[in-house]
Amino acid sequence: MTVRPGIVLTPRRAEARAVAGGAPGLETIVTGVGPERSRRSAINLAARCQGAPGTAVAGWTDQPRPGLEPGDVVIATEVRGPFGSVPLPSAPLVASALARAGLRVHEDPVTSADDGESAWLVEAAPDRPRVVVRVMTDEYHTLSAYRALRRSARVLATWAAAAGPRRVLLPEPRSFCAGVERAIEVVERALDRYGPPVYVRRQIIHNRHVVADLESRGAVFVEEVDQAPDGARLVFSAHGVSPAVEAAAAQRGQAVIDATCPLVAKVHREVRRFAERDYSVVLVGHAHHDEVEGTMGEAADIHLVSTPDDARRVAVTDPERVAYVTQTTLALDDVADVVDALRERFPGLVGPAADDVCYATQNRQDAVRAIADDCDLLLVVGSQNSSNSQRLVEVAERAGCSAHLVDDEREIDLAWLVGAATVGVTAGASAPAEIVDRIVATLSGLGPLDMHTRAVTAETVRFSLPEEVR
Ligand code: SF4
């Protein structure tokens, strides 16, 4: 089957030259300047545009916009004109791709007052993927506008190649777990009950959207307790803290509210129990993670291992008395490999009564496994420092599926979507479900979506709140 190239409608010949110079594979059509020519072109070109994977309207504009300079690129989030408002949901994908290419980009609505063409030209391809790119110019800066449009063309070519109908698979469960919901609620209730500022040691959960939202409501995030004033109200994050941190907060008279996930607290108790019985404790986990740092502080004779090789090298006090615990957010396969290596070396190895890898981590990994075979691409919503989200990417890759961790729709690379007929979208236990919705909405700007949900289990776990905020 021959794939038709994307069409770019440009009011002026020079604009068409800029686009063709930047991306020769695109079909450029000069439509004429002004509303009347644009209206006629939209009618005449409707059949051609309906047959193309996507239609872009591109050109420059000399209508000044506050804060924008010549060479700045405006990507329309919607076009408002005589036919009403036309939303353009794929705008964030194009805008972030242009920003990555080094252009100054602004996402804004474009109205028929901003330029005399876009509002009419988008009508050439109703119900098809559309995007509008306008480069700011004035009489002295036509060359910089020409260059910016030429550079934008390459992104438009990728956008057109990514356009088309696709299937979207949403695994369940995804997004917030009970521990994360509880931790966020602790901060929200503390703000309501005690008023801002409420200090929080480290990110309450590893997600920058959640942290930014709580910050905007009066939470103050600090790295260490000595960065919060003496006597301040201080929340410990879901990842838990070591006894040394608890002691430092007590010494400063800080009013602590502990949002440590009860499943992380359970691992702390296990470490203490093994240490009391004179076991060397091996913690399977990743260095520099907040949870690992807190757990390591629970015993003197504790050793961190991340890989089977680490397990083969770890030096313990008494090889006859070795116990292991694990970080709660690991991939189950990784844990099994490391524990096998430990058991080979220490046949008397003892472990926790029940797995430390928590129910939420396990369920989200199972859900990814259930769709990975059917996906060309899996998008995992989560921040880079989120361990459980990182593991979801690895689980998908192990199943042979291309997978990427993204904080939101702006981190999606259009090139990933080229040829991706089935896309899975999930979210780590620390990522808001709303971002999955935003990603789906953005994908809908590239073509019709056939949506499917695939559930592996239903979660009913809830944790009670600390008494200070109950
Ligand atoms: S991922 Fe598991 S351990 Fe971590 S906060 Fe959620 S429920 Fe607790």
Side-chain angles (χ1 to χ4, degrees):
M1 192 179 78
T2 317
V3 179
R4 298 202 54 194
I7 290 178
V8 184
L9 307 178
T10 66
R12 299 167 187 81
R13 270 182 209 295
E15 293 162 338
R17 276 198 300 277
V19 171
L26 289 167
E27 184 181 354
T28 50
I29 301 174
V30 180
T31 51
V33 175
E36 186 47 33
R37 288 200 180 100
S38 302
R39 187 186 68 80
R40 281 204 306 269
S41 292
I43 294 168
N44 295 338
L45 294 169
R48 274 168 84 178
C49 291
Q50 287 298 104
T55 297
V57 176
W60 40 72
T61 176
D62 57 7
Q63 285 295 312
R65 280 179 174 244
L68 270 61
E69 295 171 16
D72 285 10
V73 183
V74 177
I75 303 297
T77 51
E78 62 178 299
V79 172
R80 297 178 194 149
F83 311 105
S85 169
V86 175
L88 300 168
S90 66
L93 297 173
V94 177
S96 50
L98 290 172
R100 281 195 289 273
L103 290 156
R104 292 189 307 270
V105 187
H106 308 264
E107 286 173 68
D108 268 326
V110 165
T111 69
S112 45
D114 294 322
D115 70 67
E117 295 94 17
S118 298
W120 289 268
L121 289 175
V122 290
E123 295 300 326
D127 308 323
R128 303 287 294 165
R130 293 170 287 184
V131 67
V132 171
V133 179
R134 285 292 188 169
V135 180
M136 302 302 295
T137 189
D138 61 22
E139 57 185 308
Y140 307 109
H141 294 89
T142 48
L143 188 58
S144 61
Y146 182 93
R147 285 192 183 129
L149 191 55
R150 191 182 157 109
R151 286 169 69 191
S152 303
R154 228 166 291 155
V155 169
L156 292 180
T158 312
W159 171 83
R166 55 175 45 91
R167 189 162 68 127
V168 171
L169 299 183
L170 300 176
E172 277 184 2
R174 60 179 184 276
S175 188
F176 287 170
C177 59
V180 161
E181 277 177 352
R182 174 180 183 269
I184 295 170
E185 199 176 346
V186 165
V187 180
E188 288 173 340
R189 284 185 175 226
L191 285 166
D192 283 351
R193 185 164 299 181
Y194 305 109
V198 166
Y199 290 83
V200 184
R201 181 187 177 273
R202 307 276 170 96
Q203 292 191 344
I204 183 71
I205 58 159
H206 287 155
N207 186 271
R208 71 176 171 86
H209 290 283
V210 171
V211 168
D213 178 51
L214 292 172
E215 246 168 359
S216 73
R217 298 200 239 164
V220 178
F221 290 88
V222 294
E223 274 303 290
E224 296 302 342
V225 296
D226 61 7
Q227 291 164 333
D230 289 2
R233 200 160 300 279
L234 177 69
V235 177
F236 288 156
S237 79
H239 310 101
V241 299
S242 67
V245 172
E246 287 178 58
Q251 202 187 12
R252 285 176 169 73
Q254 289 162 336
V256 166
I257 309 175
D258 190 356
T260 302
C261 175
L263 301 182
V264 175
K266 170 185 145 261
V267 179
H268 284 227
R269 285 197 301 276
E270 286 162 1
V271 172
R272 289 198 295 271
R273 194 165 51 86
F274 287 130
E276 280 159 17
R277 289 156 57 203
D278 290 329
Y279 277 92
S280 289
V281 182
V282 178
L283 169 62
V284 186
H286 293 292
H288 312 303
H289 190 276
D290 288 341
E291 180 186 329
V292 166
E293 195 184 292
T295 310
M296 292 292 286
E298 290 287 358
D301 188 8
I302 187 166
H303 312 267
L304 178 65
V305 300
S306 304
T307 64
D309 273 352
D310 292 347
R312 286 178 204 110
R313 282 194 300 259
V314 66
V316 296
T317 313
D318 178 0
E320 303 295 317
R321 290 188 77 74
V322 181
Y324 78 90
V325 294
T326 74
Q327 189 179 338
T328 56
T329 49
L330 299 182
L332 291 166
D333 297 345
D334 292 342
V335 172
D337 290 348
V338 178
V339 171
D340 285 350
L342 284 172
R343 190 155 281 128
E344 225 169 83
R345 248 191 96 192
F346 312 114
L349 183 76
V350 296
D355 268 354
D356 291 326
V357 171
C358 84
Y359 79 97
T361 301
Q362 186 164 345
N363 288 345
R364 279 151 191 71
Q365 289 175 15
D366 289 345
V368 162
R369 269 188 216 97
I371 64 162
D373 273 352
D374 295 330
C375 292
D376 302 304
L377 168 72
L378 178 75
L379 299 171
V380 178
V381 181
S383 292
Q384 287 298 328
N385 60 348
S386 163
S387 170
N388 78 84
S389 307
Q390 292 272 15
R391 303 294 84 76
L392 295 180
V393 172
E394 291 168 6
V395 164
E397 285 174 340
R398 237 174 246 167
C401 172
S402 165
H404 298 277
L405 185 63
V406 293
D407 243 314
D408 53 39
E409 66 279 15
R410 278 161 220 292
E411 292 190 355
I412 300 172
D413 189 331
L414 275 167
W416 302 340
L417 295 162
V418 177
T422 301
V423 177
V425 189
T426 189
S430 49
E434 172 218 328
I435 312 260
V436 171
D437 298 341
R438 271 166 46 184
I439 286 180
V440 171
T442 303
L443 293 178
S444 75
L446 292 173
L449 302 180
D450 177 20
M451 302 289 304
H452 297 268
T453 298
R454 211 173 278 174
V456 295
T457 187
E459 289 180 346
T460 53
V461 178
R462 293 283 173 276
F463 297 129
S464 61
L465 290 165
E467 62 180 31
E468 296 87 345
V469 290
R470 227 172 267 160

